[in-house]
Amino acid sequence: MVWLGIDLGDARVGLALSDPGLTFAHPIGNVQVFGDSFHAIDEVLEVIEDNNVEKVVIGLPLQLDGTEGKSAKKALRWGKNLIKRMQILHDEKDWALDYMPEVVWKDERLTTVSAHRQLLQADLSTKKHRPMVDQQSAVLILQSALDANNAE
């Protein structure tokens, strides 16, 4: 069993995978999207198939007061689009998996701030860690979901 964490960004979509034991998350890279995160869906579908992902955890960028703003609504739309695309592939028998992965959203307030802080503590300059921050945010989103799952 493997889970996929996703941090949607305007320039990049960060990705992280869990270990099979659902204990820890690790970064697997970014998808360059050049202003439109919907461009990442095909590559994310490939990652899901190639890694037999059973659960997809998408970061939900709620506002600090917990309400859904423009970014959160976009993340919800993105995830619903991903579900629709998986269903089409599954129905057309063009899907390598014999199941449909579960898609969930995880509150990601301040994960980007935490990711920047962790990368700075690792002595990476801001210029060097900018491309890494999205995948590190995906790690934080996924690790939060894994920790909550393991606490149950």
Side-chain angles (χ1 to χ4, degrees):
M1 178 181 295
V2 173
W3 290 8
L4 173 66
I6 300 176
D7 177 61
L8 298 172
D10 290 327
R12 291 169 295 276
V13 171
L15 303 175
L17 282 175
S18 74
D19 66 303
L22 302 180
T23 306
F24 64 89
H26 62 277
I28 62 165
N30 294 316
V31 178
Q32 294 291 334
V33 294
F34 308 105
D36 186 356
S37 60
F38 287 86
H39 290 298
I41 287 183
D42 287 337
E43 287 188 53
V44 169
L45 289 167
E46 286 180 29
V47 169
I48 292 169
E49 284 186 298
D50 292 348
N51 294 281
N52 298 313
V53 170
E54 292 192 50
K55 184 180 257 187
V56 178
V57 182
I58 301 169
L60 185 62
L62 296 172
Q63 298 192 61
L64 290 178
D65 65 2
T67 59
E68 291 177 8
K70 185 178 171 186
S71 294
K73 288 177 180 160
K74 184 177 178 182
L76 290 167
R77 241 184 6 262
W78 192 94
K80 288 174 185 171
N81 195 293
L82 178 68
I83 292 167
K84 193 182 300 181
R85 291 282 306 279
M86 286 191 298
Q87 191 64 56
I88 290 168
L89 290 171
H90 185 263
D91 291 348
E92 293 177 353
K93 308 280 189 256
D94 198 19
W95 186 240
L97 307 177
D98 59 359
Y99 60 89
M100 288 292 296
E102 179 183 7
V103 175
V104 299
W105 288 263
K106 182 79 174 154
D107 181 358
E108 67 153 272
R109 280 178 280 185
L110 304 178
T111 55
T112 302
V113 173
S114 297
H116 275 292
R117 189 175 304 125
Q118 287 178 353
L119 293 168
L120 282 171
Q121 288 171 347
D123 274 341
L124 289 173
S125 70
T126 305
K127 191 174 189 175
K128 285 184 183 173
H129 81 235
R130 193 170 291 130
M132 299 173 77
V133 76
D134 298 294
Q135 59 187 305
Q136 186 61 28
S137 292
V139 167
L140 293 171
I141 292 162
L142 181 55
Q143 190 63 56
S144 173
L146 294 170
D147 293 346
N149 179 68
N150 292 331
E152 294 175 354

